[in-house]
Amino acid sequence: MSSFTSQVLLSTETLTLRDVHCTGTCRHRSTEECAASTQLVFPYRGFYLRHVASDQTVADANHVLFFNAEQGYQVSHPLEGGDACLSLSLSNALLAELAPKALFHAGEGTIFRAQSQRIDARAQALVALLRHNLEHGSIEPLEAEALTLTLVCRSLGPRTSRTPGSTHARRRLADRVKMVLASDLSRRWTLAEIGKEIGSSPVYLTQVFKQVEGVPLYRYQLQLRLARALDLLAKVEDLSALAAELGFSSHSHFANAFRQTYGRSPTEFRQASRQA
């Protein structure tokens, strides 16, 4: 069985943020669970699959997952290493105020229609800043609450997010591609190598992936690598070693990609995550 640890990072009258870690030792579907309250879950490390009846969704750092209250689900970890997530609970009334109505089942309150939704790089940066600063005790509750609500709006708003589309078969193919990428973030994959892993032609898998996720395959992989950098930056000093670990050709390649994505250099982000 997989083991969990859960640490409350912030608890106010408005919301609760938890840092949840799972060892991921259970490769097959777990026993069915259900959340006591509706939660938004932001994976920031690792990879797992969440199953609701016959539907499945990928949990990685490019997505927010929706856990509806009292809805049964199972999880499986096809890759080693477990996972870590930032889990957010807030009232149904507040959630209804923040989220577009199109995300919910009509006439059923705050029950999400989909299991997950892709988030953008700015939302990933907010997840990292919140977690690092709350861990270090370097942010006041009021500011943390404001940043959390900004994260919700950023992740659920129609301008910056995209609900997965296409057919069931195409979504499953895209899920297999995501698992290949997550199995080795540092590897410089080629289309032929990915195609061989999943049994698909390079042209077809790139077309399907773009249709399902709304971004090119290379951009999705880059965002995964940079999300891992967000996770590690507060703990590492050697940025050149980090760049190599994440598969970048050089420190400058890593720094340029990071700045273009997040609007600041890795050093500046690390300073912000360690602010006193």
Side-chain angles (χ1 to χ4, degrees), residues 26-109:
C26 182
R27 294 299 181 88
H28 303 290
R29 288 195 185 197
S30 66
T31 56
E32 189 168 271
E33 309 170 58
C34 66
S37 60
T38 299
Q39 298 172 23
L40 305 183
V41 175
F42 298 87
Y44 63 85
R45 185 189 310 150
F47 178 98
Y48 66 93
L49 297 173
R50 180 171 180 259
H51 310 270
V52 176
S54 61
D55 189 26
Q56 77 172 30
T57 192
V58 161
D60 67 14
N62 285 346
H63 291 84
V64 56
L65 273 66
F66 306 131
F67 284 65
N68 290 317
E70 307 303 329
Q71 182 183 57
Y73 68 90
Q74 297 167 292
V75 298
S76 60
H77 289 83
L79 302 177
E80 295 181 352
D83 65 86
C85 305
L86 194 68
S87 177
L88 168 63
S89 300
L90 64 169
S91 71
N92 287 342
L94 185 57
L95 187 59
E97 185 177 350
L98 293 172
K101 292 182 180 179
L103 293 181
F104 302 125
H105 282 288
E108 298 186 34

Coordinates of all heavy atoms in Angstrom, one line a residue, residues 26-109:
C26 N 2.0 1.6 -4.8 CA 0.9 0.8 -5.4 C 0.8 1.1 -6.9 O 0.4 2.1 -7.3 CB -0.4 1.1 -4.7 SG -1.8 0.2 -5.3
R27 N 1.2 0.1 -7.7 CA 1.3 0.3 -9.2 C -0.1 0.1 -9.8 O -0.4 0.7 -10.8 CB 2.2 -0.7 -9.8 CG 3.7 -0.5 -9.5 CD 4.1 0.9 -9.9 NE 5.5 1.1 -9.6 CZ 6.5 0.7 -10.4 NH1 6.3 0.2 -11.6 NH2 7.7 1.0 -10.1
H28 N -1.0 -0.7 -9.2 CA -2.3 -1.0 -9.7 C -3.3 -0.1 -9.0 O -3.0 0.7 -8.1 CB -2.7 -2.4 -9.6 CG -1.7 -3.4 -10.2 ND1 -1.6 -3.5 -11.6 CD2 -0.8 -4.2 -9.7 CE1 -0.6 -4.3 -11.9 NE2 -0.1 -4.8 -10.8
R29 N -4.5 -0.1 -9.4 CA -5.6 0.7 -8.8 C -5.7 0.5 -7.3 O -5.7 -0.7 -6.9 CB -6.9 0.5 -9.5 CG -7.0 1.0 -10.9 CD -8.5 1.0 -11.3 NE -8.7 1.4 -12.7 CZ -9.9 1.8 -13.2 NH1 -10.9 1.9 -12.4 NH2 -10.0 2.1 -14.4
S30 N -5.8 1.6 -6.6 CA -6.0 1.5 -5.1 C -7.4 1.1 -4.8 O -8.3 1.0 -5.7 CB -5.6 2.8 -4.5 OG -6.6 3.8 -4.9
T31 N -7.7 0.9 -3.6 CA -9.1 0.7 -3.2 C -9.8 2.1 -3.3 O -9.1 3.1 -3.3 CB -9.2 0.3 -1.7 OG1 -8.4 1.3 -0.9 CG2 -8.6 -1.1 -1.5
E32 N -11.1 2.1 -3.5 CA -11.8 3.3 -3.8 C -11.8 4.2 -2.6 O -12.0 3.8 -1.4 CB -13.2 3.0 -4.2 CG -14.0 4.2 -4.7 CD -15.3 3.9 -5.4 OE1 -15.3 3.7 -6.6 OE2 -16.3 3.9 -4.7
E33 N -11.6 5.5 -2.8 CA -11.6 6.5 -1.8 C -12.6 7.6 -2.3 O -13.1 7.6 -3.4 CB -10.2 7.1 -1.6 CG -9.1 6.1 -1.4 CD -7.8 6.8 -1.5 OE1 -7.5 7.7 -0.7 OE2 -6.9 6.4 -2.3
C34 N -12.9 8.6 -1.4 CA -13.6 9.7 -1.8 C -13.2 10.9 -0.9 O -12.9 10.7 0.3 CB -15.1 9.5 -1.7 SG -15.8 9.2 -0.1
A35 N -13.2 12.1 -1.4 CA -12.9 13.3 -0.7 C -14.1 13.7 0.1 O -15.2 13.7 -0.3 CB -12.4 14.4 -1.6
A36 N -13.8 14.2 1.4 CA -14.9 14.6 2.2 C -15.5 16.0 1.7 O -16.6 16.3 1.9 CB -14.4 14.8 3.7
S37 N -14.6 16.8 1.1 CA -15.0 18.1 0.5 C -14.4 18.2 -0.8 O -13.4 17.6 -1.2 CB -14.6 19.2 1.5 OG -13.2 19.2 1.6
T38 N -14.9 19.1 -1.6 CA -14.4 19.4 -2.9 C -13.0 20.0 -2.8 O -12.8 20.9 -2.0 CB -15.3 20.4 -3.7 OG1 -16.6 19.7 -3.9 CG2 -14.7 20.7 -5.1
Q39 N -12.1 19.5 -3.6 CA -10.7 20.0 -3.5 C -10.1 20.2 -4.9 O -10.4 19.5 -5.8 CB -9.8 18.9 -2.8 CG -10.2 18.7 -1.3 CD -9.5 17.5 -0.7 OE1 -8.4 17.1 -1.2 NE2 -10.0 16.9 0.3
L40 N -9.2 21.2 -4.9 CA -8.4 21.4 -6.1 C -7.0 20.9 -5.8 O -6.4 21.4 -4.8 CB -8.4 22.9 -6.5 CG -9.7 23.6 -6.7 CD1 -9.4 25.1 -7.2 CD2 -10.5 22.9 -7.7
V41 N -6.5 20.0 -6.6 CA -5.2 19.4 -6.3 C -4.2 19.8 -7.4 O -4.5 19.5 -8.6 CB -5.4 17.9 -6.2 CG1 -4.0 17.2 -6.0 CG2 -6.3 17.6 -5.0
F42 N -3.1 20.3 -7.0 CA -2.0 20.8 -7.9 C -0.8 19.9 -7.8 O 0.0 20.2 -6.9 CB -1.7 22.2 -7.7 CG -2.8 23.2 -7.9 CD1 -3.7 23.5 -6.8 CD2 -3.0 23.8 -9.1 CE1 -4.7 24.4 -7.0 CE2 -4.0 24.8 -9.3 CZ -4.9 25.0 -8.2
P43 N -0.6 18.9 -8.6 CA 0.6 18.1 -8.5 C 1.8 18.9 -8.9 O 1.7 19.7 -9.8 CB 0.4 17.0 -9.5 CG -1.1 16.9 -9.8 CD -1.5 18.4 -9.6
Y44 N 2.9 18.8 -8.1 CA 4.1 19.6 -8.5 C 5.3 18.6 -8.6 O 6.4 19.1 -9.0 CB 4.4 20.7 -7.5 CG 4.6 20.3 -6.1 CD1 5.9 19.9 -5.7 CD2 3.6 20.3 -5.1 CE1 6.2 19.5 -4.4 CE2 3.9 19.9 -3.8 CZ 5.2 19.5 -3.4 OH 5.4 19.2 -2.1
R45 N 5.1 17.4 -8.3 CA 6.2 16.4 -8.4 C 5.6 15.1 -8.7 O 4.6 14.7 -8.1 CB 7.1 16.4 -7.2 CG 8.3 15.5 -7.2 CD 9.0 15.4 -5.9 NE 9.2 16.7 -5.2 CZ 9.1 16.9 -3.9 NH1 8.9 15.9 -3.1 NH2 9.3 18.1 -3.4
G46 N 6.3 14.3 -9.6 CA 5.8 12.9 -9.8 C 4.7 12.8 -10.8 O 4.3 13.8 -11.5
F47 N 4.1 11.6 -10.9 CA 3.1 11.3 -11.9 C 2.2 10.2 -11.3 O 2.7 9.2 -10.7 CB 3.8 10.8 -13.1 CG 2.9 10.3 -14.3 CD1 2.7 11.2 -15.3 CD2 2.4 9.1 -14.3 CE1 1.8 10.8 -16.4 CE2 1.5 8.7 -15.3 CZ 1.3 9.5 -16.4
Y48 N 0.9 10.3 -11.5 CA 0.0 9.2 -11.2 C -1.2 9.3 -12.1 O -1.5 10.3 -12.8 CB -0.4 9.1 -9.7 CG -1.2 10.3 -9.1 CD1 -2.6 10.3 -9.1 CD2 -0.6 11.4 -8.6 CE1 -3.3 11.3 -8.6 CE2 -1.3 12.5 -8.1 CZ -2.7 12.4 -8.1 OH -3.4 13.5 -7.5
L49 N -2.1 8.3 -12.0 CA -3.3 8.3 -12.7 C -4.5 8.3 -11.7 O -4.4 7.5 -10.7 CB -3.4 7.0 -13.7 CG -2.4 6.9 -14.8 CD1 -2.5 5.6 -15.5 CD2 -2.6 8.1 -15.8
R50 N -5.5 9.0 -12.0 CA -6.7 9.0 -11.2 C -7.8 8.4 -12.0 O -8.1 8.8 -13.1 CB -7.0 10.4 -10.7 CG -8.3 10.5 -9.9 CD -8.4 11.9 -9.3 NE -9.6 12.1 -8.4 CZ -10.7 12.6 -8.8 NH1 -10.9 13.1 -10.0 NH2 -11.7 12.7 -8.0
H51 N -8.5 7.5 -11.4 CA -9.6 6.8 -12.1 C -11.0 7.1 -11.4 O -11.1 6.9 -10.2 CB -9.4 5.3 -12.0 CG -8.0 4.9 -12.5 ND1 -7.6 4.6 -13.8 CD2 -6.8 4.7 -11.7 CE1 -6.4 4.3 -13.8 NE2 -5.8 4.3 -12.6
V52 N -11.9 7.5 -12.2 CA -13.3 7.7 -11.7 C -14.2 6.8 -12.7 O -14.3 7.1 -13.8 CB -13.7 9.2 -11.8 CG1 -15.2 9.3 -11.4 CG2 -12.9 10.0 -10.9
A53 N -14.6 5.7 -12.1 CA -15.3 4.7 -12.9 C -14.4 4.3 -14.1 O -13.3 3.9 -13.8 CB -16.7 5.2 -13.4
S54 N -14.9 4.4 -15.3 CA -14.0 4.0 -16.4 C -13.2 5.1 -17.0 O -12.4 4.9 -17.9 CB -14.9 3.4 -17.6 OG -15.8 4.4 -18.0
D55 N -13.3 6.3 -16.4 CA -12.5 7.4 -16.9 C -11.2 7.5 -16.1 O -11.1 7.2 -15.0 CB -13.3 8.7 -16.8 CG -12.7 9.9 -17.5 OD1 -11.9 9.7 -18.4 OD2 -12.9 11.0 -17.0
Q56 N -10.2 8.0 -16.8 CA -8.9 8.2 -16.1 C -8.3 9.6 -16.5 O -8.6 10.1 -17.6 CB -7.9 7.1 -16.4 CG -7.2 7.2 -17.8 CD -6.1 6.2 -17.9 OE1 -6.1 5.1 -17.4 NE2 -5.1 6.6 -18.7
T57 N -7.5 10.2 -15.7 CA -6.8 11.4 -16.0 C -5.4 11.3 -15.4 O -5.1 10.7 -14.4 CB -7.6 12.6 -15.4 OG1 -7.1 13.8 -16.0 CG2 -7.4 12.7 -13.9
V58 N -4.5 12.0 -16.1 CA -3.1 12.1 -15.7 C -3.0 13.2 -14.7 O -3.5 14.3 -14.8 CB -2.2 12.4 -16.9 CG1 -0.9 13.0 -16.5 CG2 -2.1 11.2 -17.8
A59 N -2.2 12.9 -13.6 CA -1.8 13.9 -12.6 C -0.4 14.2 -12.8 O 0.5 13.4 -12.5 CB -2.1 13.4 -11.2
D60 N -0.1 15.4 -13.3 CA 1.3 15.8 -13.4 C 1.3 17.3 -13.2 O 0.3 18.0 -12.9 CB 2.0 15.4 -14.7 CG 1.4 16.1 -15.9 OD1 0.6 17.1 -15.8 OD2 1.7 15.6 -17.1
A61 N 2.5 17.9 -13.2 CA 2.6 19.3 -12.9 C 2.0 20.3 -13.9 O 2.0 21.5 -13.6 CB 4.1 19.7 -12.7
N62 N 1.5 19.8 -15.0 CA 0.8 20.7 -15.9 C -0.7 20.7 -15.8 O -1.4 21.3 -16.6 CB 1.2 20.2 -17.4 CG 2.6 20.5 -17.8 OD1 3.2 21.3 -17.2 ND2 3.0 19.9 -18.9
H63 N -1.2 20.1 -14.7 CA -2.6 20.0 -14.5 C -3.1 20.4 -13.1 O -2.3 20.2 -12.2 CB -3.2 18.6 -14.9 CG -3.1 18.3 -16.3 ND1 -1.9 17.8 -16.9 CD2 -4.0 18.3 -17.3 CE1 -2.1 17.5 -18.2 NE2 -3.4 17.9 -18.5
V64 N -4.3 20.8 -13.0 CA -5.0 20.9 -11.7 C -6.1 19.8 -11.8 O -6.7 19.6 -12.8 CB -5.7 22.2 -11.4 CG1 -6.6 22.7 -12.5 CG2 -6.4 22.2 -10.1
L65 N -6.2 19.0 -10.7 CA -7.2 17.9 -10.6 C -8.4 18.4 -9.7 O -8.2 19.1 -8.7 CB -6.6 16.7 -10.0 CG -5.9 15.7 -11.0 CD1 -4.7 16.4 -11.6 CD2 -5.6 14.4 -10.4
F66 N -9.6 18.0 -10.1 CA -10.8 18.3 -9.4 C -11.3 17.1 -8.6 O -11.6 16.1 -9.3 CB -11.9 18.8 -10.3 CG -11.4 19.9 -11.2 CD1 -11.7 19.9 -12.6 CD2 -10.8 21.0 -10.7 CE1 -11.3 20.9 -13.4 CE2 -10.4 22.1 -11.5 CZ -10.6 22.0 -12.9
F67 N -11.3 17.1 -7.3 CA -11.8 16.1 -6.5 C -13.2 16.5 -6.0 O -13.3 17.3 -5.1 CB -10.9 15.8 -5.3 CG -9.6 15.0 -5.7 CD1 -8.7 15.5 -6.6 CD2 -9.4 13.7 -5.2 CE1 -7.5 14.8 -6.9 CE2 -8.3 13.0 -5.6 CZ -7.3 13.6 -6.4
N68 N -14.2 16.0 -6.5 CA -15.6 16.3 -6.1 C -15.9 15.6 -4.7 O -15.5 14.5 -4.5 CB -16.6 15.9 -7.1 CG -16.6 16.7 -8.4 OD1 -16.4 18.0 -8.3 ND2 -16.7 16.1 -9.5
A69 N -16.6 16.3 -3.9 CA -17.0 15.8 -2.6 C -17.8 14.5 -2.8 O -18.8 14.5 -3.6 CB -17.8 16.8 -1.8
E70 N -17.5 13.5 -2.0 CA -18.2 12.2 -2.0 C -18.2 11.5 -3.3 O -18.9 10.5 -3.5 CB -19.7 12.5 -1.6 CG -19.8 13.2 -0.3 CD -19.1 12.6 0.9 OE1 -19.0 11.3 0.9 OE2 -18.7 13.3 1.8
Q71 N -17.3 11.8 -4.2 CA -17.2 11.1 -5.5 C -16.1 10.1 -5.4 O -15.0 10.4 -5.1 CB -16.9 12.1 -6.7 CG -16.8 11.4 -8.0 CD -16.4 12.3 -9.1 OE1 -15.3 13.0 -9.1 NE2 -17.2 12.5 -10.1
G72 N -16.4 8.8 -5.7 CA -15.5 7.7 -5.5 C -14.4 7.8 -6.6 O -14.7 8.2 -7.8
Y73 N -13.2 7.5 -6.2 CA -12.1 7.5 -7.2 C -11.0 6.5 -6.7 O -11.0 6.0 -5.6 CB -11.4 8.9 -7.3 CG -10.7 9.3 -6.1 CD1 -9.4 9.1 -5.9 CD2 -11.4 10.1 -5.1 CE1 -8.7 9.5 -4.8 CE2 -10.7 10.5 -4.0 CZ -9.4 10.2 -3.8 OH -8.7 10.6 -2.7
Q74 N -10.1 6.1 -7.6 CA -9.0 5.3 -7.3 C -7.8 5.9 -8.0 O -7.9 6.7 -8.9 CB -9.2 3.9 -7.9 CG -10.3 3.1 -7.3 CD -10.7 1.8 -8.1 OE1 -11.1 1.9 -9.3 NE2 -10.4 0.7 -7.6
V75 N -6.6 5.6 -7.5 CA -5.3 6.1 -8.1 C -4.4 4.9 -8.3 O -4.5 3.9 -7.7 CB -4.6 7.1 -7.1 CG1 -5.5 8.3 -6.9 CG2 -4.2 6.5 -5.8
S76 N -3.5 5.1 -9.3 CA -2.5 4.1 -9.6 C -1.2 4.9 -10.0 O -1.2 6.0 -10.5 CB -2.9 3.2 -10.7 OG -3.1 3.9 -11.9
H77 N -0.1 4.2 -9.7 CA 1.3 4.8 -9.9 C 2.0 4.0 -10.9 O 2.8 3.1 -10.4 CB 2.0 5.0 -8.6 CG 1.5 6.1 -7.7 ND1 0.4 5.9 -6.9 CD2 1.8 7.4 -7.6 CE1 0.1 7.0 -6.2 NE2 1.0 7.9 -6.6
P78 N 1.9 4.2 -12.2 CA 2.6 3.3 -13.1 C 4.1 3.6 -13.2 O 4.9 2.8 -13.7 CB 2.0 3.7 -14.5 CG 1.4 5.0 -14.3 CD 1.0 5.1 -12.9
L79 N 4.6 4.7 -12.6 CA 6.0 5.1 -12.6 C 6.5 5.1 -11.1 O 5.7 5.4 -10.2 CB 6.2 6.4 -13.2 CG 5.8 6.6 -14.7 CD1 6.1 8.0 -15.2 CD2 6.5 5.6 -15.6
E80 N 7.7 4.8 -10.9 CA 8.3 4.9 -9.6 C 8.5 6.3 -9.1 O 8.6 7.2 -9.9 CB 9.7 4.1 -9.6 CG 9.5 2.6 -9.8 CD 10.9 2.0 -9.7 OE1 11.9 2.7 -9.7 OE2 10.9 0.7 -9.8
G81 N 8.6 6.5 -7.8 CA 9.0 7.8 -7.3 C 7.9 8.5 -6.5 O 8.1 9.5 -5.8
G82 N 6.7 8.0 -6.6 CA 5.6 8.7 -5.9 C 5.2 10.0 -6.4 O 5.5 10.4 -7.6
D83 N 4.6 10.8 -5.6 CA 4.1 12.2 -6.1 C 4.0 13.1 -4.9 O 4.0 12.7 -3.7 CB 2.8 12.1 -6.8 CG 1.7 11.6 -5.9 OD1 1.0 12.5 -5.2 OD2 1.4 10.4 -5.8
A84 N 3.9 14.4 -5.2 CA 3.6 15.4 -4.2 C 2.7 16.4 -4.8 O 2.8 16.8 -6.0 CB 4.9 16.1 -3.8
C85 N 1.7 16.9 -4.0 CA 0.7 17.8 -4.5 C 0.4 18.9 -3.5 O 0.6 18.7 -2.3 CB -0.6 17.0 -4.8 SG -0.5 15.7 -5.9
L86 N 0.0 20.0 -4.0 CA -0.6 21.0 -3.1 C -2.1 20.9 -3.2 O -2.7 21.0 -4.3 CB -0.2 22.4 -3.6 CG -0.4 23.6 -2.6 CD1 0.5 23.5 -1.4 CD2 -0.1 24.9 -3.3
S87 N -2.8 20.6 -2.1 CA -4.2 20.4 -2.1 C -4.9 21.6 -1.4 O -4.6 22.0 -0.3 CB -4.5 19.1 -1.3 OG -5.9 18.9 -1.2
L88 N -5.9 22.1 -2.1 CA -6.7 23.3 -1.7 C -8.1 22.9 -1.4 O -8.8 22.4 -2.3 CB -6.6 24.4 -2.7 CG -7.5 25.6 -2.6 CD1 -7.2 26.3 -1.3 CD2 -7.4 26.5 -3.8
S89 N -8.6 23.2 -0.2 CA -10.0 23.1 0.1 C -10.6 24.5 0.4 O -10.0 25.3 1.1 CB -10.2 22.2 1.3 OG -9.7 20.9 1.1
L90 N -11.7 24.8 -0.2 CA -12.4 26.1 0.1 C -13.9 25.8 0.0 O -14.4 24.8 -0.6 CB -11.9 27.2 -0.9 CG -12.2 27.1 -2.4 CD1 -11.9 28.5 -3.0 CD2 -11.3 26.1 -3.0
S91 N -14.7 26.8 0.5 CA -16.1 26.6 0.6 C -16.7 26.5 -0.8 O -16.2 27.1 -1.8 CB -16.7 27.7 1.4 OG -16.7 28.9 0.7
N92 N -17.9 25.8 -0.9 CA -18.6 25.7 -2.2 C -19.0 27.1 -2.6 O -19.0 27.4 -3.8 CB -19.8 24.8 -2.0 CG -19.4 23.3 -1.9 OD1 -18.3 23.0 -2.3 ND2 -20.3 22.5 -1.4
A93 N -19.4 27.9 -1.7 CA -19.9 29.3 -2.1 C -18.7 30.1 -2.7 O -18.9 30.8 -3.7 CB -20.4 30.0 -0.8
L94 N -17.5 30.0 -2.1 CA -16.4 30.7 -2.7 C -16.0 30.1 -4.0 O -15.7 30.8 -5.0 CB -15.2 30.7 -1.7 CG -14.0 31.5 -2.1 CD1 -14.4 32.9 -2.3 CD2 -13.0 31.4 -1.0
L95 N -16.0 28.8 -4.1 CA -15.7 28.1 -5.4 C -16.6 28.5 -6.5 O -16.2 28.8 -7.6 CB -15.7 26.6 -5.2 CG -15.2 25.8 -6.3 CD1 -13.8 26.1 -6.7 CD2 -15.3 24.3 -6.0
A96 N -17.9 28.6 -6.2 CA -18.9 29.0 -7.2 C -18.7 30.4 -7.6 O -19.0 30.8 -8.8 CB -20.3 28.8 -6.6
E97 N -18.2 31.3 -6.7 CA -18.0 32.7 -7.1 C -16.7 32.8 -8.0 O -16.7 33.7 -8.8 CB -17.7 33.5 -5.8 CG -17.6 35.0 -6.0 CD -17.5 35.7 -4.7 OE1 -17.7 35.1 -3.6 OE2 -17.2 36.9 -4.7
L98 N -15.7 31.9 -7.8 CA -14.5 32.1 -8.5 C -14.4 31.4 -9.8 O -13.8 31.8 -10.8 CB -13.3 31.6 -7.6 CG -13.0 32.3 -6.4 CD1 -12.0 31.6 -5.5 CD2 -12.4 33.7 -6.7
A99 N -15.1 30.2 -9.9 CA -15.0 29.4 -11.1 C -16.1 29.6 -12.1 O -17.2 29.9 -11.8 CB -15.1 27.9 -10.7
P100 N -15.7 29.6 -13.4 CA -16.7 29.7 -14.5 C -17.8 28.6 -14.3 O -17.5 27.5 -14.1 CB -15.9 29.5 -15.8 CG -14.5 29.8 -15.4 CD -14.4 29.4 -14.0
K101 N -19.0 29.0 -14.5 CA -20.1 28.0 -14.4 C -20.0 26.9 -15.4 O -20.5 25.8 -15.1 CB -21.5 28.8 -14.6 CG -21.8 29.7 -13.5 CD -23.2 30.4 -13.7 CE -23.5 31.4 -12.6 NZ -24.8 32.1 -12.8
A102 N -19.4 27.1 -16.5 CA -19.3 26.0 -17.5 C -18.5 24.8 -17.0 O -18.6 23.7 -17.6 CB -18.6 26.6 -18.8
L103 N -17.7 25.0 -15.9 CA -16.9 23.9 -15.4 C -17.7 22.9 -14.6 O -17.3 21.8 -14.4 CB -15.7 24.4 -14.5 CG -14.6 25.2 -15.2 CD1 -13.6 25.6 -14.2 CD2 -14.0 24.4 -16.4
F104 N -18.9 23.4 -14.2 CA -19.8 22.5 -13.3 C -20.9 21.9 -14.1 O -21.4 22.4 -15.1 CB -20.4 23.4 -12.2 CG -19.3 24.1 -11.3 CD1 -19.4 25.5 -11.2 CD2 -18.3 23.4 -10.7 CE1 -18.4 26.1 -10.4 CE2 -17.4 24.0 -9.9 CZ -17.4 25.4 -9.7
H105 N -21.4 20.8 -13.5 CA -22.6 20.1 -14.0 C -23.8 21.1 -13.8 O -23.9 21.6 -12.7 CB -22.9 18.8 -13.3 CG -22.0 17.7 -13.8 ND1 -22.2 17.1 -15.0 CD2 -21.0 17.0 -13.2 CE1 -21.2 16.1 -15.2 NE2 -20.5 16.1 -14.1
A106 N -24.6 21.3 -14.8 CA -25.7 22.2 -14.8 C -26.7 21.7 -13.7 O -27.1 20.6 -13.6 CB -26.4 22.3 -16.1
G107 N -27.1 22.7 -12.8 CA -28.1 22.4 -11.8 C -27.6 21.5 -10.7 O -28.4 21.1 -9.9
E108 N -26.3 21.3 -10.5 CA -25.8 20.4 -9.5 C -24.8 21.1 -8.6 O -23.9 20.4 -8.0 CB -25.2 19.1 -10.1 CG -26.2 18.3 -10.9 CD -25.6 17.0 -11.4 OE1 -24.8 16.4 -10.6 OE2 -25.9 16.5 -12.5
G109 N -24.9 22.4 -8.4 CA -24.0 23.1 -7.5 C -22.6 23.1 -8.0 O -22.3 23.4 -9.2

